[in-house]
Amino acid sequence: MPIPPDPRAARLAIRLVFLVNGAVLAGWAPLVPLAKARLGLDEGQLGLVLLALGAGAILAMPLAGMLIARHGSRAVSIAAGLAFAALLPLLALAPDSPAAGAPLLALALFAFGAANGLMDVAMNAQAVAVEAKGTRPIMSSIHGIFSIGGLLGAVSVSLMLRAGLSPVAAALALGAAAMALLAAQARALLPRAEDRPGDGHGFALPRGPVLAFGLLCFIMLLAEGSMIDWSAVYLVQQRGMEVALAGLGFGAFSVAMAAARLSGDALNARLGPVRLLRGGALLAALGLAVVVVVPQAWGALLGFVLVGLGIGNAVPLLFSAAGRLPGVAPGTAIAAVATLGYAGLLAGPALIGFAARLTSLPVALAGVALLVLAVAAWAGIARNEAGR
C-alpha cells in the first residue's frame, strides 16, 4: 500500500528545488567575464553567444507540458534539475579561442538554457499541485526563495574563485551540491497522481485565457528586463551618477522584488490575487513614472524600488492562476505562459533600446509604464475560486 504524500514535506521540498534552480542559474553569472576574457570575445560577440541560453529555454518550455503529462512534474523537475546542475561546469570548459570556444560555449549554453526551461515549467507545475494541497498561497514566497538561491549561487561561486579555485572546480562544487540537494528531495515531492490533469496531451498553442496570461506575463517580464539591462545606463546617462555606483539601481530593484515575493503569500491570502496583481501593476507604473519625471538620481532609485515592489508578485500570481485553468493541465498552461513571459524578458531590453534610439530612454520607459497599466486593467483574469 503506497504511503500518502506529506504536504508539509512537499512544501519544504519544492522550496529547496526553487532554491537550487536560482543558485545554479546565478552560478553562471561570475563565470561570464572570465569566459569573455578567456575566449577573447568583444561585447557584441559575447551578446550573441549569450542569446543561446535564452533560445534553449524558449524552445524547451513548450515541450515541458508534454513531458509533465507523460511523466509527472516531480520526475521532470528532478531530471531536468540534475541535468541543469551537471551542465554548469561545461560552461567553463570551452577552448581558449573565439573560433573554437565560442561555438562550443554557445552549444553548452543552449543545453543549459533548455534544461533550465524544462525545470522552470516543471517546478512551477509541482508548486501549483503543492499549493492545492494546502490552505494558504505559497507561490510568491517560493519565487522569493528562488531569488535567495540566486544570491547564494552568485556569492558562493565568487568566493570560491576568490579563494583560488579554478572556474571549472567552482562550477563543479556548486553543481555537485545542487545535484545532491535535488536528489534528496525527490521522494518528498508530490507524485504524478497528484498533478491536476487536463484535456489534451500536454502541448497546446497559447490561445484564449492561456494567451491572455502569457501576454500579461510578457509585459511584466519585459518591465523586469528593462531594470536588468537599462537601470544602470539610465542612472549614468540621464541622472549623472558615477559608473561605479550605477549598479545601485538594479540592486535596489532586486532587494525590493525579493521583499515583495517573501511577503506576497500573506498579502495574497488577505487581498486575493486580483487586487494584489492590480495594485502591484499600478505601483510598478508609478515607479516608472517617478524614474522618468524626478530629475534627481535619488528619485530614480526610489522609482526602481517601487517597480521591484510592484512586479515582484506578478509572475507567481500569473503562473498560479494559469495552473488552475479548467480543462488545461498546469504543465501545459504554465509552459505556454512561461514561454511568452521569457520572450518578454529576452526581447524587452532590445525593444526598449530600439524605442530609445527613435525617441529617448525616458520616453521608452514611459512606454513600459503604459504597458504595465494594461496589466492593471486586465488583472481580473487572475480571479480565484473565492472571487476576490
Side-chain angles (χ1 to χ4, degrees):
M1 183 175 180
I3 299 174
D6 182 352
R8 290 178 298 179
R11 284 196 294 271
L12 175 60
I14 192 59
R15 284 182 168 90
L16 291 174
V17 170
F18 271 74
L19 183 83
V20 165
N21 182 261
V24 173
L25 185 61
W28 160 236
L31 303 177
V32 174
L34 298 176
K36 180 179 183 297
R38 188 177 74 252
L39 299 178
L41 303 176
D42 60 29
E43 285 74 10
Q45 292 170 326
L46 179 64
L48 289 174
V49 169
L50 293 177
L51 282 176
L53 193 156
I58 287 178
L59 291 176
M61 281 177 172
L63 302 177
M66 290 189 293
L67 292 173
I68 293 168
R70 177 171 295 184
H71 303 290
S73 61
R74 175 173 70 178
V76 179
S77 294
I78 297 300
L82 291 173
F84 186 43
L87 286 165
L88 180 62
L90 295 182
L91 305 183
L93 285 175
D96 297 352
S97 70
L104 289 176
L105 178 59
L107 182 62
L109 280 170
F110 182 88
F112 187 68
N116 181 47
L118 293 174
M119 184 183 183
D120 193 308
V121 173
M123 70 186 189
N124 275 286
Q126 173 72 196
V128 169
V130 172
E131 187 176 53
K133 297 287 286 186
T135 59
R136 65 183 189 275
I138 63 170
M139 289 293 283
S140 290
S141 63
I142 283 178
H143 282 80
I145 289 171
F146 165 85
S147 299
I148 294 173
L151 176 63
L152 291 175
V155 169
S156 63
V157 171
S158 297
L159 290 176
M160 285 188 282
L161 293 173
R162 186 175 180 83
L165 270 70
S166 69
V168 175
L172 276 171
L174 178 60
M179 292 174 73
L181 189 56
L182 281 174
Q185 306 314 309
R187 288 183 177 273
L189 294 174
L190 298 180
R192 181 185 177 190
E194 300 294 332
D195 288 328
R196 185 176 63 77
D199 297 334
H201 301 287
F203 180 84
L205 294 174
R207 60 182 183 271
V210 173
L211 178 59
F213 281 118
L215 291 176
L216 296 190
C217 196
F218 177 94
I219 291 172
M220 297 309 274
L221 284 178
L222 184 153
E224 182 177 340
S226 72
M227 296 294 100
I228 294 171
D229 288 302
W230 290 103
S231 58
V233 175
Y234 187 88
L235 286 170
V236 173
Q237 292 186 359
Q238 303 295 325
R239 296 298 178 256
M241 183 173 282
E242 296 179 23
V243 173
L245 299 176
L248 290 175
F250 182 64
F253 165 81
S254 298
V255 171
M257 185 169 68
R261 287 180 168 176
L262 291 174
S263 61
D265 290 335
L267 291 172
N268 190 7
R270 182 173 181 177
L271 301 175
V274 174
R275 282 183 284 182
L276 184 55
L277 179 60
R278 179 172 291 126
L282 291 173
L283 187 61
L286 174 62
L288 287 165
V290 171
V291 169
V292 171
V293 172
V294 177
Q296 289 81 21
W298 66 261
L301 291 174
L302 173 61
F304 294 146
V305 168
L306 295 177
V307 175
L309 291 173
I311 72 173
N313 289 303
V315 171
L317 289 171
L318 291 169
F319 279 4
S320 181
R324 298 193 306 269
L325 284 172
V328 185
T332 303
I334 292 172
V337 172
T339 302
L340 286 172
Y342 209 79
L345 185 65
L346 291 174
L351 293 174
I352 292 168
F354 180 72
R357 184 176 182 181
L358 293 177
T359 55
S360 67
L361 186 52
V363 171
L365 292 179
V368 176
L370 293 177
L371 290 174
V372 172
L373 285 176
V375 176
W378 287 93
I381 69 169
R383 193 172 306 278
N384 64 9
E385 292 83 352
R388 293 187 296 179

